Amino acid sequence: MELKPYRDNVGALLFNADGLVLVARRADLPNAEGAAGGWQLPQGGVDAGEDLRVAVLRELAEEVGTDKAEIIAEYPGWLTYDFPPELAARGFRIAQKYRGQRQRWFALRFTGTDADIRLDADAQPEFDAWRWARIEELPGLAIAFKRDIYAELARAFAHLAAR
């Protein structure tokens, strides 16, 4: 596993006007053990040569169907996690190719309305449900191998959750 590279990735904490963060339930992990239904923050891979700020807005549009957001903060460094070996064994393609993900996280202000969130915007939706959550809920919603990152994000961006 250590010989595989990390995949470059961006993630989004999308804050609404009430200081809540958008979380979405993975369509392929609706009952993931220990993941409270597979809830996560929008995230995705970075294309070769792509600017990270462009990538996070693209991923947000692809995964939750909206581009109604503006970047308000950026985590100052990269955060990494390793995929559990069982993901590769279960045929999860990305875990077969990569050791894990190296992520740059952004906080964004949502400038739209709830009607602008469209999980069906992509032909193969990654998520089947979404909701607004308090930032301190994030670690408890995360699948085990992402929990430390979500705890760090909740700490680092807590000041943005104030209305």
Side-chain angles (χ1 to χ4, degrees):
M1 193 70 157
E2 292 78 28
L3 299 177
K4 294 179 187 177
Y6 283 104
R7 176 182 182 230
D8 282 351
N9 189 280
V10 290
L13 282 86
L14 184 64
F15 287 89
N16 71 8
D18 294 322
L20 300 174
V21 178
L22 182 137
V23 293
R25 188 176 63 195
R26 290 188 60 105
D28 60 347
L29 297 172
N31 296 307
E33 185 174 316
W39 293 92
Q40 71 176 51
L41 298 165
Q43 66 175 58
V46 177
D47 296 333
E50 186 176 27
D51 179 90
L52 297 176
R53 289 174 167 259
V54 171
V56 74
L57 292 168
R58 175 186 51 76
E59 281 296 331
L60 197 62
E62 288 176 6
E63 293 195 349
V64 298
T66 189
D67 61 356
K68 297 187 182 309
E70 57 188 21
I71 296 171
I72 55 174
E74 179 177 347
Y75 189 81
W78 292 92
L79 297 172
T80 60
Y81 66 83
D82 290 350
F83 293 125
E86 61 269 17
L87 283 184
R90 287 187 6 217
F92 193 63
R93 284 181 291 157
I94 197 166
Q96 293 172 340
K97 185 175 179 180
Y98 296 99
R99 172 184 181 171
Q101 302 207 81
R102 180 176 89 131
Q103 300 180 305
R104 182 56 65 83
W105 284 90
F106 295 87
L108 301 99
R109 178 180 301 114
F110 183 47
T111 59
T113 67
D114 286 2
D116 294 315
I117 307 294
R118 297 283 317 274
L119 300 182
D120 62 351
D122 190 87
Q124 296 181 329
E126 184 169 341
F127 302 117
D128 64 5
W130 70 274
R131 70 179 180 91
W132 297 108
R134 293 183 328 275
I135 196 165
E136 61 269 14
E137 289 180 76
L138 295 180
L141 294 173
I143 196 161
F145 62 91
K146 294 182 182 180
R147 199 162 289 140
D148 288 345
I149 287 179
Y150 280 34
E152 175 59 16
L153 295 171
R155 184 202 61 74
F157 293 122
H159 65 285
L160 299 173
R163 189 170 182 192

